[in-house]
Amino acid sequence: MEIDELNLDENAVVVVCVRATDFSPYADNLHGECALCHVSVQHRPHVPQPCTLICKECFLARVEDGETIYATPRTLAEVQAYFHRN
Ligand SMILES: [Zn+2]
């Protein structure tokens, strides 16, 4: 990922978000703006702060194959719970 594009330091937290118009099972999502393309995005209320939001489309356009993707334990638990319900 080309983090230089965002002028972030090495400790910056980047949160990859779905767009505000995408489906989400969570009614309590908060909204923000992609730092790269400025589209409206949504994210969970408990993302680390401060953070930089980028949309999934910008992330996928920049991520290299085999790059490690991180998520908070709470986010992973929510995603697991969602897929077990459906
Ligand atoms: Zn974007």
Side-chain angles (χ1 to χ4, degrees), residues 19 33-39 41 53-59 62:
R19 291 183 169 177
E33 183 181 295
C34 174
L36 294 174
C37 73
H38 308 290
V39 72
V41 296
L53 306 176
I54 65 169
C55 74
K56 179 184 61 170
E57 285 73 12
C58 283
F59 174 74
R62 289 164 176 82

Side-chain angles (χ1 to χ4, degrees), residues 11-51:
N11 296 314
V13 175
V14 176
V15 176
V16 179
C17 307
V18 295
R19 291 183 169 177
T21 53
D22 288 347
F23 168 77
S24 170
Y26 305 112
D28 61 340
N29 274 355
L30 301 178
H31 290 83
E33 183 181 295
C34 174
L36 294 174
C37 73
H38 308 290
V39 72
S40 182
V41 296
Q42 55 182 316
H43 61 83
R44 303 299 295 130
H46 47 74
V47 295
Q49 293 292 338
C51 68

